[in-house]
Amino acid sequence: MDMLSDVVAFMRCGRPTSARVSWRAPWGVSFRSAPGSAGFQVMLRGSCWLIPPDGEPVPLSMGDLVFLPHGDPFGLADDPARPLVESDCDPHSELFASADFGGAGAETVILSCGYRLNLDRTHPILGSLPGVIHLPATLGSHPELRAAVELLAAEIDTPRPGTDTVVSSLLDMLQLYVLRAYFETQDELCTLSGWAAALADPAIGRALDAIHRDPVRRWTVESLGAHAGMSRAGFARRFTGLVGQPPLAYLTWWRLASGARMLRESDASVAEVAERVGYGSEFAFGNAFKREFGVAPGRYRRRVAVA
């Protein structure tokens, strides 16, 4: 898999949730902090205000999308001065639902979607994101993102046979398109740093993609540098500066993180997992895994199975 596809698959655990909510003025609601989750708010109709935990209220209009990657608290209201009532909804209760709230005034329709995250091992790209990402509905921008939103809204409005699978897949698509759009926007604004800069850098992007597409290969700094079209020393410096760790350290981390996911989600033996993530023996994998996670692979599997 390419890197962004890997990141989306890696960050989510369990199934996503979504709801189409109709709000009628006057209304104002606050959502408490939800550690271990990430969520979207997509404006399908009308307008409202996003009340972030810090900073000024943000006006939202039809087609706007807000991504909250860290589960930070936030509010939504028809008026920024409106008192907020705390929501008692469970963001993880249903795959899809519809609901109506508020008074009898102007209608605002919002598509709310959420993910559970594996807090034990989140990809560093998620940690690099700000608490609130606002993607305005600029005419002609990110057409694939808008198409995914329209398909998702249609499925939730009119559930049919297979809707559970369609909604889950569309939410994964939406997550990918949001990340793409955010990084492209940072590139256009010349505000790239950290992982955004790493993904936008053609040479480092090629190396990261190579690691994710073929983690089993016996990569060296020299071979990764050659893949990126750079000298060994120049590649090592640029990779470390942008990604935050040396190339082989990131490769090792990704192999072990991938191994942990396989232990959680498959019935493969520890020896099979070791081979699939590039280790020559179960013993070598077990030692490296214990250094990273603090427990042996078998005990890790039993622990997450109980949880």
Side-chain angles (χ1 to χ4, degrees):
M1 295 172 69
D2 66 89
M3 182 176 171
L4 274 185
S5 298
D6 264 339
V7 168
V8 169
F10 180 71
M11 65 186 278
R12 181 165 65 83
C13 60
R15 69 177 189 168
T17 58
S18 57
R20 180 189 181 279
V21 184
S22 172
W23 303 93
R24 287 193 175 274
W27 63 275
V29 62
S30 66
F31 297 88
R32 56 186 176 273
S33 176
S37 68
F40 310 95
Q41 302 293 324
V42 185
M43 298 292 296
L44 299 181
R45 188 184 309 150
S47 62
C48 71
W49 291 80
L50 171 74
I51 317 297
D54 301 302
E56 296 298 313
V58 179
L60 303 177
S61 56
M62 189 171 72
D64 283 12
L65 185 148
V66 175
F67 178 43
L68 299 110
H70 309 304
D72 292 343
F74 68 99
L76 294 169
D78 68 314
D79 186 304
R82 184 81 60 202
L84 302 182
V85 176
E86 184 171 314
S87 170
D88 60 358
C89 71
D90 179 359
H92 306 302
S93 60
E94 297 186 59
L95 175 60
F96 62 91
S98 295
D100 298 276
F101 297 98
E107 184 186 37
T108 297
V109 180
I110 299 175
L111 180 63
S112 297
C113 313
Y115 276 96
R116 284 193 186 276
L117 304 178
N118 177 15
L119 287 180
D120 287 340
R121 293 290 148 182
T122 56
H123 192 281
I125 200 170
L126 185 67
S128 73
L129 299 175
V132 176
I133 294 174
H134 175 212
L135 297 174
T138 306
L139 184 64
S141 66
H142 316 303
E144 62 282 339
L145 175 59
R146 306 303 163 193
V149 168
E150 290 179 10
L151 288 170
L152 189 56
E155 283 293 331
I156 293 172
D157 275 346
T158 311
R160 286 161 289 178
T163 288
D164 281 22
T165 299
V166 172
V167 168
S168 183
S169 298
L170 285 171
L171 286 172
D172 280 342
M173 288 174 58
L174 188 62
Q175 173 72 82
L176 279 168
Y177 288 143
V178 165
L179 291 174
R180 277 188 191 172
Y182 172 70
F183 289 127
E184 288 169 2
T185 300
Q186 298 307 295
D187 194 8
E188 293 166 3
L189 297 175
C190 299
T191 56
L192 293 173
S193 62
W195 273 94
L199 292 176
D201 186 293
I204 302 306
R206 282 195 297 272
L208 285 167
D209 200 48
I211 288 172
H212 281 257
R213 288 188 183 277
D214 192 8
V216 176
R217 183 171 171 176
R218 295 187 179 279
W219 292 107
T220 64
V221 176
E222 186 173 4
S223 64
L224 283 169
H227 196 83
M230 299 178 65
S231 69
R232 181 186 185 281
F235 167 73
R237 283 195 300 271
R238 188 185 298 182
F239 189 102
T240 303
L242 293 177
V243 174
Q245 55 185 322
L248 297 189
Y250 179 78
L251 171 63
T252 298
W253 178 84
W254 179 246
R255 284 174 170 171
L256 294 172
S258 298
R261 188 176 71 194
M262 290 181 197
L263 290 169
R264 292 194 306 271
E265 299 176 0
S266 78
D267 295 326
S269 68
V270 174
E272 289 171 326
V273 171
E275 183 179 1
R276 291 180 191 177
V277 297
Y279 281 85
S281 70
E282 180 179 345
F283 179 77
F285 172 69
N287 282 340
F289 192 93
K290 190 170 183 177
R291 284 195 299 271
E292 179 68 23
F293 289 86
V295 294
R299 179 171 294 180
Y300 174 86
R301 169 174 271 169
R302 290 190 295 272
R303 187 178 68 184
V304 296
V306 171

Short mmCIF file of all heavy atoms in Angstrom, two decimals, residues 15-19 32 37 87-99 112-116 164:
data_model
loop_
_atom_site.label_atom_id
_atom_site.label_comp_id
_atom_site.label_asym_id
_atom_site.label_seq_id
_atom_site.Cartn_x
_atom_site.Cartn_y
_atom_site.Cartn_z
N ARG A 15 -15.33 0.06 13.71
CA ARG A 15 -15.99 0.59 12.53
C ARG A 15 -16.32 2.06 12.73
O ARG A 15 -16.56 2.52 13.86
CB ARG A 15 -17.25 -0.21 12.21
CG ARG A 15 -18.37 -0.05 13.21
CD ARG A 15 -19.59 -0.83 12.74
NE ARG A 15 -20.76 -0.53 13.56
CZ ARG A 15 -21.99 -0.89 13.23
NH1 ARG A 15 -22.18 -1.57 12.11
NH2 ARG A 15 -23.01 -0.58 14.00
N PRO A 16 -16.39 2.84 11.65
CA PRO A 16 -16.70 4.27 11.78
C PRO A 16 -18.19 4.47 12.07
O PRO A 16 -19.00 3.55 11.96
CB PRO A 16 -16.33 4.82 10.39
CG PRO A 16 -16.51 3.66 9.47
CD PRO A 16 -16.13 2.44 10.27
N THR A 17 -18.55 5.69 12.45
CA THR A 17 -19.94 6.04 12.70
C THR A 17 -20.28 7.30 11.92
O THR A 17 -19.42 8.09 11.57
CB THR A 17 -20.19 6.29 14.20
OG1 THR A 17 -19.32 7.35 14.63
CG2 THR A 17 -19.92 5.05 15.02
N SER A 18 -21.56 7.51 11.67
CA SER A 18 -21.97 8.72 10.95
C SER A 18 -23.44 9.02 11.26
O SER A 18 -24.21 8.13 11.61
CB SER A 18 -21.77 8.55 9.44
OG SER A 18 -22.49 7.42 8.97
N ALA A 19 -23.79 10.29 11.12
CA ALA A 19 -25.17 10.71 11.34
C ALA A 19 -25.47 11.95 10.52
O ALA A 19 -24.62 12.84 10.38
CB ALA A 19 -25.42 11.00 12.82
N ARG A 32 -18.16 17.43 24.07
CA ARG A 32 -17.02 17.30 24.97
C ARG A 32 -15.84 16.60 24.29
O ARG A 32 -16.00 15.98 23.24
CB ARG A 32 -17.42 16.54 26.23
CG ARG A 32 -18.02 15.17 26.00
CD ARG A 32 -18.53 14.56 27.30
NE ARG A 32 -19.19 13.27 27.08
CZ ARG A 32 -20.46 13.14 26.78
NH1 ARG A 32 -21.22 14.23 26.66
NH2 ARG A 32 -21.00 11.94 26.60
N SER A 37 -10.60 9.45 19.40
CA SER A 37 -11.50 9.52 18.26
C SER A 37 -11.11 10.69 17.37
O SER A 37 -10.44 11.63 17.79
CB SER A 37 -12.95 9.68 18.72
OG SER A 37 -13.14 10.94 19.32
N SER A 87 -23.92 18.28 24.49
CA SER A 87 -24.52 17.12 23.85
C SER A 87 -24.30 15.88 24.71
O SER A 87 -23.23 15.70 25.30
CB SER A 87 -23.91 16.90 22.47
OG SER A 87 -24.30 15.66 21.92
N ASP A 88 -25.31 15.01 24.75
CA ASP A 88 -25.16 13.75 25.48
C ASP A 88 -25.09 12.57 24.53
O ASP A 88 -25.25 11.41 24.93
CB ASP A 88 -26.32 13.54 26.47
CG ASP A 88 -27.68 13.52 25.76
OD1 ASP A 88 -27.72 13.70 24.53
OD2 ASP A 88 -28.69 13.32 26.46
N CYS A 89 -24.83 12.84 23.22
CA CYS A 89 -24.82 11.74 22.26
C CYS A 89 -23.52 10.95 22.37
O CYS A 89 -22.48 11.48 22.76
CB CYS A 89 -24.97 12.27 20.83
SG CYS A 89 -23.53 13.14 20.20
N ASP A 90 -23.60 9.68 22.03
CA ASP A 90 -22.43 8.81 21.97
C ASP A 90 -21.96 8.77 20.52
O ASP A 90 -22.65 8.24 19.65
CB ASP A 90 -22.80 7.40 22.43
CG ASP A 90 -21.62 6.43 22.35
OD1 ASP A 90 -20.52 6.86 21.93
OD2 ASP A 90 -21.80 5.25 22.69
N PRO A 91 -20.76 9.35 20.22
CA PRO A 91 -20.32 9.42 18.83
C PRO A 91 -20.02 8.06 18.24
O PRO A 91 -19.81 7.94 17.05
CB PRO A 91 -19.05 10.27 18.92
CG PRO A 91 -18.55 10.07 20.31
CD PRO A 91 -19.79 9.92 21.15
N HIS A 92 -19.98 6.99 19.06
CA HIS A 92 -19.63 5.66 18.56
C HIS A 92 -20.82 4.69 18.60
O HIS A 92 -20.63 3.49 18.52
CB HIS A 92 -18.47 5.08 19.38
CG HIS A 92 -17.28 5.98 19.45
ND1 HIS A 92 -16.60 6.42 18.34
CD2 HIS A 92 -16.65 6.54 20.51
CE1 HIS A 92 -15.60 7.20 18.71
NE2 HIS A 92 -15.62 7.29 20.01
N SER A 93 -22.04 5.24 18.72
CA SER A 93 -23.16 4.35 18.96
C SER A 93 -23.69 3.67 17.71
O SER A 93 -24.14 2.53 17.77
CB SER A 93 -24.30 5.13 19.63
OG SER A 93 -24.74 6.18 18.79
N GLU A 94 -23.67 4.33 16.55
CA GLU A 94 -24.26 3.75 15.36
C GLU A 94 -23.38 4.01 14.14
O GLU A 94 -22.67 5.01 14.08
CB GLU A 94 -25.65 4.35 15.10
CG GLU A 94 -26.66 4.05 16.19
CD GLU A 94 -28.04 4.55 15.80
OE1 GLU A 94 -28.56 4.12 14.77
OE2 GLU A 94 -28.57 5.37 16.54
N LEU A 95 -23.48 3.12 13.15
CA LEU A 95 -22.77 3.33 11.90
C LEU A 95 -23.36 4.52 11.16
O LEU A 95 -22.66 5.37 10.65
CB LEU A 95 -22.83 2.08 11.02
CG LEU A 95 -22.22 2.21 9.61
CD1 LEU A 95 -20.76 2.57 9.70
CD2 LEU A 95 -22.42 0.93 8.83
N PHE A 96 -24.66 4.59 11.07
CA PHE A 96 -25.30 5.75 10.45
C PHE A 96 -26.65 5.96 11.10
O PHE A 96 -27.29 5.03 11.57
CB PHE A 96 -25.43 5.59 8.93
CG PHE A 96 -26.29 4.44 8.50
CD1 PHE A 96 -27.65 4.61 8.29
CD2 PHE A 96 -25.74 3.18 8.33
CE1 PHE A 96 -28.44 3.55 7.90
CE2 PHE A 96 -26.54 2.10 7.95
CZ PHE A 96 -27.89 2.29 7.73
N ALA A 97 -27.09 7.23 11.14
CA ALA A 97 -28.36 7.58 11.76
C ALA A 97 -28.79 8.94 11.25
O ALA A 97 -28.03 9.66 10.60
CB ALA A 97 -28.21 7.61 13.29
N SER A 98 -30.04 9.31 11.54
CA SER A 98 -30.55 10.63 11.22
C SER A 98 -31.26 11.17 12.45
O SER A 98 -31.84 10.41 13.23
CB SER A 98 -31.51 10.58 10.03
OG SER A 98 -30.83 10.19 8.85
N ALA A 99 -31.21 12.50 12.64
CA ALA A 99 -31.84 13.09 13.82
C ALA A 99 -32.18 14.55 13.53
O ALA A 99 -31.61 15.17 12.64
CB ALA A 99 -30.90 13.00 15.03
N SER A 112 -22.26 14.30 10.30
CA SER A 112 -21.26 14.10 11.34
C SER A 112 -20.72 12.68 11.25
O SER A 112 -21.51 11.72 11.23
CB SER A 112 -21.87 14.33 12.73
OG SER A 112 -22.31 15.66 12.87
N CYS A 113 -19.42 12.53 11.19
CA CYS A 113 -18.78 11.21 11.06
C CYS A 113 -17.68 11.09 12.09
O CYS A 113 -17.01 12.08 12.43
CB CYS A 113 -18.18 11.03 9.67
SG CYS A 113 -19.26 11.51 8.31
N GLY A 114 -17.45 9.87 12.59
CA GLY A 114 -16.43 9.68 13.61
C GLY A 114 -15.68 8.37 13.45
O GLY A 114 -16.19 7.41 12.87
N TYR A 115 -14.46 8.35 13.98
CA TYR A 115 -13.59 7.17 13.98
C TYR A 115 -13.08 6.93 15.39
O TYR A 115 -12.78 7.87 16.11
CB TYR A 115 -12.34 7.42 13.13
CG TYR A 115 -12.47 7.20 11.66
CD1 TYR A 115 -12.74 8.25 10.80
CD2 TYR A 115 -12.29 5.95 11.11
CE1 TYR A 115 -12.83 8.07 9.44
CE2 TYR A 115 -12.37 5.75 9.75
CZ TYR A 115 -12.64 6.81 8.91
OH TYR A 115 -12.72 6.61 7.57
N ARG A 116 -12.96 5.68 15.75
CA ARG A 116 -12.15 5.33 16.93
C ARG A 116 -10.70 5.20 16.45
O ARG A 116 -10.44 4.69 15.36
CB ARG A 116 -12.61 4.01 17.54
CG ARG A 116 -13.89 4.11 18.35
CD ARG A 116 -14.11 2.84 19.16
NE ARG A 116 -15.38 2.83 19.84
CZ ARG A 116 -15.60 3.41 21.02
NH1 ARG A 116 -14.61 4.05 21.63
NH2 ARG A 116 -16.79 3.34 21.60
N ASP A 164 -24.40 -0.47 4.99
CA ASP A 164 -23.36 -0.54 6.03
C ASP A 164 -21.97 -0.58 5.41
O ASP A 164 -21.06 0.15 5.82
CB ASP A 164 -23.57 -1.78 6.91
CG ASP A 164 -24.67 -1.58 7.94
OD1 ASP A 164 -25.52 -0.70 7.71
OD2 ASP A 164 -24.66 -2.30 8.94
#
